[in-house]
Amino acid sequence: MNLVGLLTNPDNLLTIFVAVVCFATVMTIVMPMFNNSNLEARMKSVSTRREELRRKSREALANKSQGSSLRQTDEGVYKNIVERLDLSRLLEDPNVVEKLAQAGFRGPRPVTTFYFFRFVSPFIFAAAIGFYLFVVNDFGWPTITRVTATVAGLTLGYYAPNLYISNVAQKRRESIVGAFPDALDLLLICVESGMSVEAAIHKVSQEIGGASIELAEEMSLLTAELSYLPDRRQAYEGMARRTNHPGIKSVMTAMIQAERYGTPLGAALRVMAKENREMRLSAAEKKAAQLPAKLTVPMIVFFLPVLFVVILGPAILKVTDTVGMPK
């Protein structure tokens, strides 16, 4: 009962909220100082994928089987649950593979994990909300309102995996787009120096890792797919789908046309690098233009009260002392 009383006390809830916000602020400031680059681990993952493609390609050539596939396999608890409950059909999402690829999750295992959490999350959210409203603190709400909130937890839990994947994909895309013009400049230098496309992309993937680990990973994967996929166009289109950005799609289209029609790749890369740099600049200008509107509410909520206290506080204290003085 003491624990329930502590949790239902508004002062304690406010204190916990302020503590969490302060902790999140401190961690946001401190974590970049201790952030170690995981470029080697990401490149090792891509290297593993490259070796998998190489092994499957050799097996396909050795067996001379038309049914050979370069797909990875998945074995685990999530897969067994998804197959037993037939969740892939019950919760079918035709774009789930593409969405997971955009977020950096490749292979069949993330797909089964996604379906598993899409099935489990609604019950977890509903149970947590129902337990808090019916056991810990009902806020004086009627029963029908608490039941409605619990049902809303089901809906929120169903869409929570999609929101997480969309958030990860957006952050990954921003990291890739931020370093992509520089990667195009490096690629242009490598191509004009006489290197082949595969060697140039591989060299750029090694150099661009300091600016964007995600872009280095994508370009390394593009190199592997160019080497082992039966059609080079599939590799370019695959990178365009995984990044889902118009600038990168246009570059991949230009490289496909250069492969098919023999058009000069250097001139196309020079133009594409300029366009992507302008797109990056326009995106930065757009964010800068939105900044005053976004700062309005924080200034009203946090800065103005402090300013009033600093300005009016001494005057109020002086008036209080004057009024309280004996005549």
Side-chain angles (χ1 to χ4, degrees), residues 41-297:
R42 302 289 288 271
M43 291 297 102
K44 184 177 180 181
S45 174
V46 174
S47 177
T48 303
R49 172 62 175 164
R50 183 185 181 92
E51 293 299 327
E52 181 71 15
L53 287 171
R54 179 182 298 174
R55 183 178 63 83
K56 293 293 184 180
S57 179
R58 289 178 177 176
E59 289 180 358
L61 292 175
N63 297 330
K64 294 182 180 180
S65 173
Q66 297 296 331
S68 297
S69 175
L70 298 179
R71 294 182 180 274
Q72 299 175 347
T73 58
D74 177 28
E75 296 294 338
V77 178
Y78 294 161
K79 181 183 178 182
N80 295 332
I81 296 176
V82 169
E83 288 182 349
R84 288 179 178 274
L85 300 178
D86 199 11
L87 298 180
S88 59
R89 184 181 61 84
L90 180 64
L91 306 174
E92 182 179 2
D93 187 352
N95 299 323
V96 62
V97 177
E98 185 175 346
K99 292 178 181 178
L100 290 172
Q102 292 174 7
F105 304 111
R106 296 179 294 273
R109 179 169 297 178
V111 177
T112 56
T113 304
F114 174 81
Y115 281 127
F116 174 78
F117 279 102
R118 173 175 267 192
F119 175 73
V120 173
S121 296
F123 300 104
I124 295 177
F125 276 70
I129 294 175
F131 176 79
Y132 188 84
L133 292 179
F134 285 93
V135 178
V136 179
N137 186 7
D138 58 1
F139 296 105
W141 294 353
T143 304
I144 187 63
T145 305
R146 287 179 284 171
V147 171
T148 303
T150 305
V151 175
L154 288 171
T155 306
L156 180 62
Y158 179 80
Y159 289 103
N162 281 335
L163 294 176
Y164 173 76
I165 295 299
S166 299
N167 187 28
V168 174
Q170 182 179 0
K171 292 181 179 179
R172 177 182 173 84
R173 189 181 306 111
E174 291 176 354
S175 175
I176 292 174
V177 172
F180 191 66
D182 300 331
L184 286 181
D185 290 335
L186 294 175
L187 187 61
L188 174 61
I189 295 172
C190 294
V191 170
E192 290 186 342
S193 66
M195 297 177 65
S196 64
V197 176
E198 292 88 344
I201 295 175
H202 181 65
K203 181 65 176 178
V204 173
S205 67
Q206 294 177 338
E207 298 294 334
I208 205 64
S212 174
I213 299 176
E214 292 79 7
L215 181 57
E217 182 183 9
E218 285 295 332
M219 299 195 77
S220 298
L221 184 58
L222 176 61
T223 306
E225 291 181 345
L226 285 173
S227 301
Y228 298 107
L229 287 180
D231 188 1
R232 296 167 66 88
R233 179 173 181 174
Q234 296 179 4
Y236 293 125
E237 291 178 348
M239 182 172 180
R241 286 193 302 269
R242 291 192 300 269
T243 53
N244 192 25
H245 185 266
I248 300 178
K249 288 181 179 180
S250 61
V251 173
M252 295 299 108
T253 302
M255 299 184 76
I256 292 173
Q257 292 177 352
E259 290 279 347
R260 174 175 296 182
Y261 304 110
T263 57
L265 184 58
L269 289 176
R270 185 177 289 105
V271 174
M272 294 298 174
K274 182 179 179 181
E275 290 181 356
N276 279 271
R277 194 175 292 106
E278 291 176 352
M279 292 175 62
R280 182 175 63 180
L281 181 60
S282 63
E285 291 176 349
K286 182 179 178 181
K287 288 184 178 180
Q290 294 175 351
L291 191 60
K294 292 182 178 179
L295 286 177
T296 301
V297 175

Side-chain angles (χ1 to χ4, degrees), residues 297-314:
V297 175
M299 288 184 63
I300 293 174
V301 174
F302 297 104
F303 295 143
L304 290 182
V306 177
L307 187 62
F308 288 152
V309 170
V310 172
I311 295 175
L312 300 178

